[in-house]
Amino acid sequence: MITVNEKEHVFHLHNGRMSYLFYVMDSGQLGHLYFGKELRSDGSYLHMVEKAHRPMTTYITEGDLYTSYEHLRQEYPTYGTSDYRYPALEVQGTDGSTLCKLEYQGYEIIPGKKPLPGLPATYVEEKGEAETLEIRMLDQWRGLEAVLSYTIFRDCDAIARSVRFINKGEEALFLDRAMSLSVDFPDGDYESVQLSGSWARERSIITRPLQPGVTAVSSMRGNSSHQHNPFLALKRRHTTEHTGDAYGFSLVYSGNFLAQAEVDNYNVLRVMLGINPFGFRWKLAPGGEFVTPEAVMVWSNQGLNGMSWQFHALYKNRLARGYWRDKERPVLINNWEATMFDYVEDDLVRFAQKAQECGIELFVLDDGWFGARNNDRAGLGDWKPNPAKLPNGIKGLAERIEALGMKFGLWFEPEMVNRDSDLFRTHPDYIIQTPGRSPSHGRNQFVLDFSRPEVVDEIYNQMYALLSNAKISYIKWDMNRSISECYSASLPADQQGEVFHRYILGVYDLHERLIRAFPELLIESCSSGGGRFDAGMLYYAPQGWTSDDSDAIERLKIQYGTSLVYPISSMGAHVSACPNSQVGRNTPIETRGNVAMTGAFGYELDLNKLSEEELKAVKQQVVFYKQNRKLLVQGAFYRLLSPFEGNFAAWEVAEHDGSRALVTVTRILSEINGPYRRLPLLGLDPDRKYHIYSKYLSYEAYGDELMQFGLMLEDQASGQIIEGSGGSGSCEDFRSLVYEVVGL
Ligand code: DGJ
């Protein structure tokens, strides 16, 4: 998978479908050559380097009027000589100089892939699945070594990158910018695609044409954020969901990030991704090391959906890990939207009992069970059950739930503390705050300084005591505010720029320790919904609460957008009560079920309050989900109709061999006497006959017809007359149907 042209110093990573090429320049720096559809491995490519004599240019060597870093496409650029674009690396020595020049020293090819210490990363199970190229670079003047690591995967069109820095000099160095990835594309004629939004409306798809200058998304909040996801894609103007070139860049990280595309005066495009340099400064003492988070770049010539498959395949199978990775996920019920903080043990058992009657498998007790937590002003930090609500403790409640034949899950917000808590009273110094300034609060809470190992230990010990004492099968790990007044009492002045990153390392450390101690525990990540829904979290928690907005119609966009990068098995999705608590909308129970089922499925309402008819629907949904969850976790996901573009949302999940598919179609607003509609499907066998079932339809057709002419949509929504309706047709907003397409 990795070919090295020793004569020309060209490195070629290829896997039969995709190529990535770079070379060593005469000056020793690395130049970028190509990224895209595979090129032949015996080719010679140095003529791709474009450099000409141009006015107003700074050249590297006296007498040479052709060679300027400003004109050369680079691989891991630094600043200070003649490249005036944003660099991947910025380093300052104790002399104050920021000049840096990395020169090639050698390379190594390693079968498989090494783990990244303390950081989430993709992995292999067998060495043959991937090959890793490590390029050793050195700034001789400073003694800074940089090892650039590239892993190419055999079965997936993805390259994982990271950089390890080692200070081999005698003086401290400061890394002010250390990106995980940088790629220079020969032209900037692309549109960028980002996932942006806010609390309760996360990850909307936003597409904009690149223009000269910088297009960027970032977070400086301490968490990857609701506002922007650590991801950026590039597509050509004519690229669609299913055709054309698309590149995706995703950071396997949960803290501050920067994803940036810069188009220069020669229309060269530089993409970079990594820890946000704003607020970052890492002190590298002599002998010290720093490893960047991993960034994954994928390519597809099958449009944005093709890009998503690469991410889904890699993240589902080689980022998510452990006991739950390939397992069917339990149908859960969570009490939050039904009860908020107001409950006692018997209420919860009644709640769970009804759920058990409906076939639900896991009861999750959300916020409010611990310390003095009767509202959001107290209790965080005191992870001991409140005896007034739970007289038999968590152990007693878990036993009652298990006796119903269900599993028991519990909510935590490990990184936070309320002023009104025993933990704060004992250790007021444990929070992130700047000395002499008053700390801002979010939801009346403060952020514990997880950059300090003793703080992580304290929370680990509390969680361990509970998890080892009661039968807890699942935890929901919440995080409900961003960091402010960032400063750690445990670090000296010249290391305060490390706090954001050290904080995230502390979060990862706690996750890792819990997973080691309780390998069968299912962890669902959460951050006021989707404020930290990122690839970093997926390494520890195979599912995440996608958004605090549980309205089925809002969820169409949220889940559709999220699917650009993340597999549907990772998206927690629940049926909640109507009118919906976030937007006040009423939607049919079928629609709520259909939308939530293309996710890690569950309920978030009091089933005791449903009508007999609704309960019947819930029971049918649970049966249907259980019959299909294997497909829903492992199948190939196709986006068919975008809720960002019209009145319909449609998606399909198909077996990889095309033997079966489920197609979910939701019409948002009803329309009267509209057109007949067909929906071309994907991923079926053209020569195979299929039976199509839906609530109202049943017919047979070959795969070629279903993919070309399309699935014929039942169309009551647009005014089709139904027998017995009095001839007026039937209209209703927010209708949705699932079509089963079963190979015969
Ligand atoms: C925010 C989460 O997103 C909700 O699902 C719920 O767990 C609340 N926190 C509880 O405080």
Side-chain angles (χ1 to χ4, degrees):
M1 285 181 263
I2 297 171
T3 309
V4 183
N5 180 334
E6 301 279 357
K7 208 164 116 241
E8 297 185 340
H9 289 296
V10 173
F11 298 93
H12 186 173
L13 291 83
H14 53 101
N15 63 3
R17 300 171 300 274
M18 175 184 83
S19 278
Y20 187 89
L21 281 126
F22 60 95
Y23 71 107
V24 184
M25 300 180 196
D26 293 341
S27 64
Q29 286 193 222
L30 294 182
H32 182 77
L33 288 171
Y34 175 82
F35 179 25
K37 190 174 166 67
E38 184 171 56
L39 302 179
R40 50 192 310 127
S41 60
D42 56 355
S44 180
Y45 296 106
L46 280 184
H47 54 267
M48 285 177 166
V49 177
E50 290 155 315
K51 54 178 190 173
H53 177 46
R54 296 283 176 101
M56 201 44 207
T57 297
T58 311
Y59 296 101
I60 301 164
T61 318
E62 283 184 54
D64 175 357
L65 292 178
Y66 290 90
T67 317
S68 166
Y69 293 126
E70 189 174 1
H71 294 194
L72 291 167
R73 294 193 293 278
Q74 300 200 52
E75 191 56 29
Y76 198 72
T78 52
Y79 177 79
T81 59
S82 57
D83 183 351
Y84 298 99
R85 295 162 289 182
Y86 278 96
L89 172 67
E90 206 184 335
V91 52
Q92 189 172 41
T94 41
D95 61 356
S97 157
T98 54
L99 188 62
C100 179
K101 189 177 176 217
L102 292 175
E103 288 171 331
Y104 175 75
Q105 304 296 305
Y107 76 90
E108 194 183 343
I109 294 175
I110 300 152
K113 184 174 191 290
K114 293 183 192 166
L116 293 188
L119 283 164
T122 56
Y123 59 90
V124 293
E125 289 196 333
E126 287 162 26
K127 288 206 165 132
E129 289 176 12
E131 217 163 52
T132 300
L133 172 65
E134 285 193 351
I135 303 280
R136 207 155 43 79
M137 308 289 291
L138 182 70
D139 180 327
Q140 310 218 5
W141 181 48
R142 298 200 175 285
L144 177 65
E145 184 175 278
V147 181
L148 310 183
S149 164
Y150 299 79
T151 299
I152 180 156
F153 294 86
R154 183 189 60 200
D155 304 326
C156 182
D157 297 336
I159 293 177
R161 293 177 60 174
S162 66
V163 186
R164 187 168 82 248
F165 296 95
I166 306 123
N167 184 352
K168 297 209 152 168
E170 273 153 28
E171 290 197 355
L173 296 172
F174 292 89
L175 297 177
D176 287 314
R177 183 183 185 97
M179 303 309 277
S180 302
L181 157 164
S182 177
V183 190
D184 282 3
F185 286 81
D187 72 80
D189 304 331
Y190 288 93
E191 292 178 338
S192 71
V193 184
Q194 68 195 60
L195 294 175
S196 298
S198 190
W199 172 79
R201 54 177 175 83
E202 297 89 339
R203 292 175 296 284
S204 287
I205 301 176
I206 301 197
T207 306
R208 43 180 166 158
L210 294 183
Q211 301 285 355
V214 169
T215 304
V217 288
S218 65
S219 167
M220 47 175 92
R221 312 174 73 97
N223 51 321
S224 51
S225 89
H226 298 91
Q227 285 71 11
H228 303 293
N229 201 253
F231 157 78
L232 188 76
L234 296 175
K235 69 183 220 17
R236 294 292 189 187
R237 196 159 47 88
H238 54 260
T239 297
T240 67
E241 271 290 0
H242 304 288
T243 60
D245 277 321
Y247 296 86
F249 304 89
S250 158
L251 193 64
V252 187
Y253 189 60
S254 312
N256 289 351
F257 75 92
L258 172 68
Q260 172 173 309
E262 180 183 8
V263 177
D264 76 6
N265 50 324
Y266 297 114
N267 200 32
V268 169
L269 163 63
R270 172 168 295 171
V271 174
M272 52 179 64
L273 184 60
I275 292 180
N276 195 338
F278 183 86
F280 172 79
R281 170 163 252 232
W282 194 274
K283 182 177 181 182
L284 263 190
E289 283 198 16
F290 178 80
V291 182
T292 72
E294 177 164 290
V296 172
M297 48 192 201
V298 307
W299 163 84
S300 170
N301 59 0
Q302 292 177 60
L304 285 175
N305 209 135
M307 173 199 79
S308 303
W309 288 337
Q310 306 306 328
F311 279 129
H312 291 185
L314 187 65
Y315 285 0
K316 212 161 43 176
N317 304 316
R318 293 295 180 265
L319 177 63
R321 59 187 172 143
Y323 183 79
W324 284 101
R325 186 188 69 186
D326 304 327
K327 288 234 165 14
E328 296 171 15
R329 307 290 164 72
V331 182
L332 68 79
I333 187 153
N334 177 305
N335 70 311
W336 175 245
E337 286 197 18
T339 64
M340 300 272 148
F341 300 101
D342 188 15
Y343 53 79
V344 290
E345 183 182 302
D346 285 343
D347 302 333
L348 299 173
V349 175
R350 264 196 304 279
F351 186 91
Q353 200 153 12
K354 198 73 180 170
Q356 190 276 336
E357 286 164 26
C358 293
I360 295 172
E361 298 154 308
L362 167 69
F363 167 74
V364 178
L365 174 56
D366 209 282
D367 198 351
W369 57 266
F370 50 90
R373 186 78 168 168
N374 294 315
N375 52 50
D376 64 16
R377 289 187 298 279
L380 291 173
D382 297 342
W383 301 107
K384 293 191 186 61
N386 176 345
K389 289 180 178 175
L390 303 175
N392 302 300
I394 287 295
K395 191 170 190 298
L397 175 62
E399 277 165 7
R400 287 181 75 184
I401 301 295
E402 285 265 337
L404 294 174
M406 294 177 85
K407 298 284 173 208
F408 176 72
L410 194 58
W411 180 96
F412 287 93
E413 193 174 1
E415 299 151 70
M416 300 291 156
V417 68
N418 286 114
R419 190 179 286 283
D420 184 0
S421 68
D422 291 342
L423 182 66
F424 188 87
R425 282 182 280 272
T426 326
H427 292 291
D429 58 311
Y430 270 11
I431 67 170
I432 290 186
Q433 60 183 328
T434 302
R437 318 287 300 191
S438 71
S440 308
H441 74 97
R443 208 191 187 202
N444 307 300
Q445 64 197 48
F446 302 104
V447 185
L448 287 170
D449 185 354
F450 265 42
S451 74
R452 293 167 64 175
E454 68 274 27
V455 177
V456 178
D457 283 349
E458 161 68 36
I459 299 299
Y460 175 76
N461 291 337
Q462 289 200 41
M463 291 178 81
Y464 182 88
L466 267 164
L467 292 167
S468 52
N469 173 259
K471 201 145 184 346
I472 300 170
S473 306
Y474 158 112
I475 64 172
K476 177 174 171 187
W477 178 318
D478 206 346
M479 192 273 191
N480 285 304
R481 63 157 292 189
S482 298
I483 294 174
S484 59
E485 292 84 27
C486 184
Y487 186 97
S488 174
S490 68
L491 289 171
D494 63 356
Q495 286 186 267
Q496 290 300 325
E498 300 176 14
V499 180
F500 276 119
H501 183 58
R502 285 186 185 273
Y503 175 86
I504 287 294
L505 293 180
V507 172
Y508 292 154
D509 179 47
L510 181 57
H511 265 289
E512 193 65 46
R513 287 162 72 179
L514 289 171
I515 289 170
R516 291 228 174 109
F518 307 98
E520 292 183 15
L521 187 66
L522 173 59
I523 304 182
E524 176 153 346
S525 70
C526 175
S527 172
S528 285
R532 206 163 57 182
F533 199 105
D534 54 58
M537 279 296 138
L538 208 48
Y539 185 66
Y540 305 97
Q543 59 193 62
W545 183 224
T546 316
S547 174
D548 269 350
D549 191 340
S550 62
D551 171 69
I553 299 305
E554 298 290 303
R555 276 299 186 108
L556 292 174
K557 284 187 177 167
I558 296 170
Q559 293 175 204
Y560 194 95
T562 304
S563 79
L564 242 57
V565 186
Y566 307 99
I568 52 171
S569 57
S570 69
M571 292 182 219
H574 299 171
V575 172
S576 59
C578 275
N580 174 267
S581 341
Q582 294 84 34
V583 294
R585 183 178 284 136
N586 285 301
T587 50
I589 188 95
E590 286 82 9
T591 299
R592 282 176 269 158
N594 292 347
V595 175
M597 258 184 237
T598 17
F601 183 51
Y603 289 82
E604 186 138 350
L605 75 180
D606 189 347
L607 295 167
N608 293 302
K609 296 190 175 149
L610 295 191
S611 67
E612 276 310 310
E613 206 181 321
E614 285 172 318
L615 269 181
K616 200 169 140 214
V618 168
K619 286 181 187 160
Q620 281 167 357
Q621 286 169 358
V622 174
V623 169
F624 185 81
Y625 182 75
K626 286 180 181 170
Q627 281 163 355
N628 290 289
R629 62 182 152 186
K630 198 155 186 239
L631 169 63
L632 290 165
V633 170
Q634 281 161 7
F637 184 70
Y638 298 88
R639 291 183 294 271
L640 302 178
L641 291 175
S642 168
F644 293 97
E645 289 168 12
N647 195 30
F648 282 78
W651 50 61
E652 173 189 344
V653 190
E655 295 285 3
H656 290 279
D657 64 3
S659 59
R660 213 166 154 260
L662 291 179
V663 183
T664 309
V665 183
T666 308
R667 192 207 58 246
I668 299 169
L669 293 180
S670 85
E671 50 182 0
I672 186 71
N673 208 10
Y676 291 93
R677 285 202 169 80
R678 295 149 298 277
L679 180 67
L681 304 184
L682 287 154
L684 302 179
D685 177 350
D687 299 322
R688 188 158 181 177
K689 200 169 200 186
Y690 292 87
H691 198 119
I692 294 99
Y693 305 90
S694 81
K695 195 165 171 187
Y696 307 101
L697 269 186
S698 170
Y699 74 103
E700 287 182 6
Y702 277 95
D704 55 357
E705 176 195 316
L706 292 168
M707 293 193 288
Q708 298 306 320
F709 182 75
L711 169 75
M712 300 177 70
L713 297 184
E714 167 283 324
D715 212 18
Q716 276 187 46
S718 61
Q720 176 183 320
I721 294 175
I722 303 163
E723 242 173 282
S725 71
S728 62
S730 148
C731 288
E732 200 186 337
D733 289 341
F734 318 128
R735 285 267 322 265
S736 153
L737 271 182
V738 173
Y739 297 81
E740 286 183 77
V741 181
V742 183
L744 297 174

